[in-house]
């Protein structure tokens, strides 16, 4: 009896603690992800988060579905479940001419049989993926894509990984049901970074931020979605019970107070709001036209893609009176911006050779101005893409700036095709070194097989000197082209042999700039091992992979001896990467080149400041949930000299197992590997 009371008391105080922690994490999430105004350091936040994780582990009975720790860790789905919307998600009638705004206003007045001014609420039209969030008694219970408007797909797991979307609403009095509609978007800057990562991993880059956002939501594995930088902005409602709104602007204000990210909130952010132009209220159609023009001008400076403005009547009462026409509301219209397209002709199709030998067809076009930018080149990606679009030399084509970033050919105007225009086939030969090009199994691109091809060398050198690699900032593209053409550089290590006299003999090379080049080459001689591996430009080995390899092996000598097997032990490295790495690193020319680089004076900075060597030569595998995020546990082991690998084998010394450990635990038990938890791990270093 006494014990039960004691337990109840312990659990009560745990509950209070859990509530306080949850509240405070939610508050910080709101400040950070919705308002963009963090009030505590990341470190302090991590501490609160770990504390909550630990408390929930000790008291699983207290953990709720909407806990901040429940955003990730879900298992992949087999398929998305079709789910109906309580109220249909309508589409908007589009127009491309601002004058249509005047006729929209007249039409509404005619329908309402009144000349009274109508109050409009205008907003930017976000170019992303529409979703509906369902909040029941303030808790997010479902997220559904738009689908055909009546039935969408349940993407709740994925939506929960977006940190700016509250799992529970703020405020004391919350409606029984609140359906929120809005757009999932990716910021342009996040999109650029994501594409760099995609390429590093040997994956196809996304065409534009909208595709990237939509592709990220349509992932069966929520871990992939969690790794994508997505944002959400709410702009409309579905079914609502237990709350009344009079106007669109009141709706925005109230849901902002519930903690939902809206354009109203974004407007107040310096980097998103850009002169507070994300929305406008007016009764004057001329003002709407002015607004349309203003937004059109500043759209390129916005952080996210928009494709027009949406004009809605502000009063919900009037919206009800106006009703719908077929699948769109009569009370709203979209004034779209002219798509940024232009018509031009393809003058040539050239083949570019990339660092890894990939041959990429590029259309060279007569210059055309698209949205203020002169476009002359558009990538055609590969033979499949070229065939699909059937672009031929001499063709008249429509080009557009996809999501403000990469120019692409949207379509060929076949009617204007000249007689005799031939289909284009990428020759199976490198245009630069004339070696044969082959299409490796499972790939869509042809690759030049010559590792010392001049074109590949130039691209490899550009990568080698780039900021995130060896950071030799004074050696630019122009110099690299000249150095290779003049045969002064035939490998990375030749850069370190350059002499002042020969450099100055080059065209347009003054004494000062020559000295700058030599100084910046000299300054690059002390990279971290990770940077150095990344600089070598091995396929699939991006920054992150390079640093994983460096962490694992610790020295260049060990890296050179790496086997596929030992690489596969690294968490985050798969068979494709391991095999590419080993085959590249064991090429005699590559080995000699690395030795030459070392001979030229390259030494390595240590990446992890080691705290001790107490775990030296010990191999660890981490599994399950720990009081700290997995990366912390890993760093802890690394900084004490230990190794961390991804899977349990007979070479594993310890399995650090947390809550909910699964197959790895079983395997470790079978193999008789020592199983320890976080606390025992700490004790190991104190021995
Ligand atoms: S209000 C039709 N506001 O545009 C219901 N929609 O082409 C009223 N959209 O499916 C929607 N930005 O996904 C509204 N600020 C905004 C919007 C917006 C983008 C999307 C929405 C809709 C599509 C119609």
């Amino acid at each position: 009896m006494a014990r039960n009371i004691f337990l109840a008391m312990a659990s009560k105080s745990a509950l209070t603690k859990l509530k306080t922690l949850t509240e405070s994490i939610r508050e910080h999430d709101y400040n950070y992800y919705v308002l963009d105004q963090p009030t505590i350091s990341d470190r302090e936040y991590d501490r609160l988060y770990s504390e909550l994780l630990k408390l929930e582990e000790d008291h699983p009975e207290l953990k709720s579905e909407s806990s901040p720790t429940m955003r990730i860790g879900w298992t992949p789905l087999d398929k998305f479940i079709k789910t109906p919307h309580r109220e249909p998600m309508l589409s908007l009638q589009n127009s491309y001419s601002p004058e249509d705004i005047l006729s929209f206003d007249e039409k509404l007045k005619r329908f309402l049989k009144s000349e009274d001014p109508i109050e409009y609420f205008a907003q930017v039209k976000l170019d992303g993926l529409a979703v509906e969030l369902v909040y029941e008694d303030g808790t997010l219970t479902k997220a559904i894509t738009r689908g055909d408007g009546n039935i969408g797909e349940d993407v709740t797991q994925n939506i929960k990984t977006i940190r700016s979307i509250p799992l529970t609403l703020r405020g004391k009095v919350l409606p029984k049901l609140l359906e929120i509609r809005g757009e999932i978007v990716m910021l342009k800057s996040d999109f650029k970074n994501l594409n760099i990562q995609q390429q590093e991993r040997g994956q196809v880059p996304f065409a534009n931020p909208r595709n990237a956002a939509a592709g990220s939501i349509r992932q069966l594995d929520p871990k992939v979605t969690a790794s994508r930088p997505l944002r959400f902005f709410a702009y409309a409602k579905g079914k609502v019970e237990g709350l009344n709104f009079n106007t669109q602007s009141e709706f925005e204000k109230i849901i902002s107070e519930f903690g939902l990210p809206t354009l109203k909130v974004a407007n107040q952010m310096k980097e998103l709001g850009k002169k507070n132009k994300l929305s406008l209220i007016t009764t004057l159609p001329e003002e709407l036209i002015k607004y349309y023009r203003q937004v059109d001008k500043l759209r390129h400076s916005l952080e996210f893609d928009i494709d027009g403005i949406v004009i809605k009547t502000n009063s919900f009462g009037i919206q009800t009176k106006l009703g719908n026409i077929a699948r769109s509301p009569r009370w709203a219209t979209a004034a779209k911006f002219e798509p940024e397209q232009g018509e031009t002709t393809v003058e040539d199709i050239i083949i570019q050779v990339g660092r890894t030998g990939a041959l990429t067809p590029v259309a060279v076009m007569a210059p055309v101005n698209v949205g203020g930018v002169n476009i002359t080149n558009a990538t055609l990606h590969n033979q499949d893409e070229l065939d699909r679009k059937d672009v031929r030399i001499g063709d008249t084509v429509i080009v557009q700036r996809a999501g403000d970033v990469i120019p692409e050919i949207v379509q060929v105007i076949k009617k204007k095709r000249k007689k005799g225009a031939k289909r284009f086939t990428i020759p199976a030969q490198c245009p630069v070194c004339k070696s044969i090009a082959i299409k490796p199994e499972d790939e869509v691109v042809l690759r030049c097989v010559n590792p010392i091809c001049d074109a590949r060398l130039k691209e490899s050198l550009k990568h080698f000197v780039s900021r995130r690699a060896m950071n030799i900032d004074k050696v630019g593209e122009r110099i690299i082209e000249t150095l290779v053409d003049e045969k002064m550089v035939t490998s990375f290590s030749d850069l370190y042999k350059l002499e002042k006299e020969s450099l100055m003999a080059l065209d347009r090379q003054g004494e000062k700039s020559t000295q700058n080049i030599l100084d910046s080459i000299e300054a690059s001689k002390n990279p971290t091992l990770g940077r150095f591996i990344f600089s070598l430009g091995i396929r699939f080995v991006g920054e992150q992979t390079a640093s994983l390899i460096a962490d694992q092996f610790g020295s260049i000598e060990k890296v050179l001896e790496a086997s596929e097997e030992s690489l596969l032990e690294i968490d985050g490295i798969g068979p494709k990467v391991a095999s590419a790495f080993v085959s590249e690193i064991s090429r005699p020319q590559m080995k000699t080149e690395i030795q030459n680089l070392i001979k030229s004076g390259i030494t390595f900075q240590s990446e992890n400041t080691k705290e001790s060597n107490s775990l030296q030569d010990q191999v660890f595998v981490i599994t399950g949930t720990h009081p700290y995020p997995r990366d912390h546990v890993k760093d802890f082991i690394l900084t004490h000299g230990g190794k961390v690998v991804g899977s349990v084998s007979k070479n594993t010394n310890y399995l650090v197992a947390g809550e909910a450990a699964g197959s790895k635990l079983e395997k470790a038990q079978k193999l008789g590997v020592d199983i320890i938890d976080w606390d025992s791990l700490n004790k190991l270093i104190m021995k």
Side-chain angles (χ1 to χ4, degrees), residues 89-94 122-131 146 181-183 234-236 248 263 278 307 309-310 312 327-329 331-332 334 336:
M89 280 179 86
L90 302 175
S91 51
L92 288 172
Q93 287 194 314
N94 292 329
Q123 235 176 8
V124 295
K125 184 171 185 300
L126 297 161
D127 194 10
L129 174 81
V131 291
R146 179 193 151 97
R181 286 150 184 202
E183 205 89 350
Y235 48 64
Q248 195 75 47
L263 290 169
L278 300 178
D307 58 352
I309 61 167
V310 180
K312 329 173 194 187
R327 312 283 306 143
S328 1
W331 46 265
K336 299 247 267 189

Side-chain angles (χ1 to χ4, degrees), residues 620-623 647-650 652-657 661-676:
F620 293 80
V621 173
I622 310 171
T623 187
S647 55
V648 178
S649 72
K650 56 182 186 337
T652 313
N653 297 93
Y654 295 99
L655 177 76
V656 190
S663 60
K664 287 184 186 170
L665 180 60
E666 268 172 40
K667 187 155 181 206
Q669 283 163 339
K670 223 184 263 167
L671 293 174
V673 172
D674 274 343
I675 296 160
I676 56 172

Side-chain angles (χ1 to χ4, degrees), residues 468-495:
R468 308 195 69 97
M470 297 297 274
N471 192 19
I472 310 182
D473 61 340
K474 293 294 183 291
V475 177
E477 294 200 359
R478 187 181 63 83
I479 298 174
I480 289 178
E481 301 274 339
T482 319
L483 290 173
V484 173
D485 290 343
E486 298 291 322
K487 306 264 177 269
M488 286 167 68
V489 168
T490 58
S491 64
F492 300 141
S493 55
D494 282 351
L495 285 174

Side-chain angles (χ1 to χ4, degrees), residues 478 500 503-518:
R478 187 181 63 83
K500 198 164 179 177
L503 271 175
M504 281 188 60
L506 295 175
D507 231 12
R508 287 189 283 169
Q509 235 6 92
E511 170 147 19
K512 189 144 177 270
S513 61
T514 304
Q515 194 53 50
N516 284 344
I517 292 177
L518 291 170

Side-chain angles (χ1 to χ4, degrees), residues 528-542:
T528 58
L529 181 57
R531 250 178 199 264
F532 180 77
I533 297 172
F534 173 58
S535 308
L536 298 174
I538 298 168
R539 268 188 85 198
F540 310 125
V541 182

Side-chain angles (χ1 to χ4, degrees), residues 315-362:
S315 148
F316 285 131
I318 294 191
Q319 289 189 6
T320 312
K321 271 193 202 156
L322 288 166
N324 303 331
I325 335 169
R327 312 283 306 143
S328 1
R330 189 177 273 111
W331 46 265
T333 187
K336 299 247 267 189
F337 298 134
E338 276 304 325
E340 299 214 283
Q341 295 188 335
E343 193 179 309
T344 182
T345 50
V346 175
E347 296 182 331
D348 199 0
I349 296 177
I350 58 164
I351 306 295
Q352 277 179 357
V353 188
R355 159 162 67 87
T356 55
L359 304 190
T360 308
V362 175

Side-chain angles (χ1 to χ4, degrees), residues 264-463:
K264 181 186 174 70
V265 177
N267 229 344
Q268 284 142 21
M269 291 179 203
K270 223 175 39 220
E271 71 278 25
L272 296 182
K274 288 273 152 47
K275 304 184 198 141
N276 288 347
K277 278 287 181 293
L278 300 178
S279 53
L280 169 90
I281 297 178
T282 180
T283 53
L284 305 170
E286 306 76 49
E287 282 295 308
L288 291 171
I289 293 178
K290 208 164 106 196
Y291 175 66
Y292 169 89
R293 297 214 161 101
Q294 279 173 344
V295 178
D296 194 3
K297 277 212 190 80
L298 65 80
R299 60 189 283 212
H300 294 295
S301 66
L302 284 180
E303 288 281 310
F304 41 75
D305 279 341
I306 58 172
D307 58 352
I309 61 167
V310 180
I311 302 166
K312 329 173 194 187
T313 63
N314 199 18
S315 148
F316 285 131
I318 294 191
Q319 289 189 6
T320 312
K321 271 193 202 156
L322 288 166
N324 303 331
I325 335 169
R327 312 283 306 143
S328 1
R330 189 177 273 111
W331 46 265
T333 187
K336 299 247 267 189
F337 298 134
E338 276 304 325
E340 299 214 283
Q341 295 188 335
E343 193 179 309
T344 182
T345 50
V346 175
E347 296 182 331
D348 199 0
I349 296 177
I350 58 164
I351 306 295
Q352 277 179 357
V353 188
R355 159 162 67 87
T356 55
L359 304 190
T360 308
V362 175
V364 180
M365 300 164 295
V368 56
N369 189 305
V370 179
V373 177
N374 250 341
I375 292 184
T376 51
N377 287 354
T379 173
L380 294 162
H381 301 285
N382 51 52
Q383 189 72 51
D384 288 0
E385 186 68 5
L386 222 160
D387 291 344
R388 196 176 63 77
K389 291 190 173 153
D390 188 18
V391 179
R392 307 183 188 187
I393 297 172
D395 273 354
T396 303
V397 292
I398 305 284
V399 285
Q400 79 177 13
R401 286 168 61 202
D404 282 350
V405 201
I406 323 154
E408 64 171 2
I409 292 184
V410 201
Q411 111 190 65
V412 173
I413 306 179
K414 296 258 167 75
K415 273 193 291 193
K416 295 195 181 173
R417 175 169 285 165
K418 295 209 182 67
K419 271 216 186 90
K422 287 201 194 69
R423 270 191 179 271
F424 188 90
T425 307
I426 306 173
Q429 185 187 40
C430 172
V432 177
C433 72
K434 312 294 176 207
S435 307
I436 55 154
I438 55 158
K439 194 187 284 189
E441 221 178 302
D442 300 336
E443 286 198 33
V444 284
V445 295
L446 276 164
R447 288 179 192 278
C448 161
V449 293
N450 174 12
I452 53 163
C453 162
D454 268 7
R456 290 183 63 176
L457 178 62
K458 283 177 186 172
E459 294 308 310
S460 301
L461 283 163
K462 286 177 199 167
H463 171 77

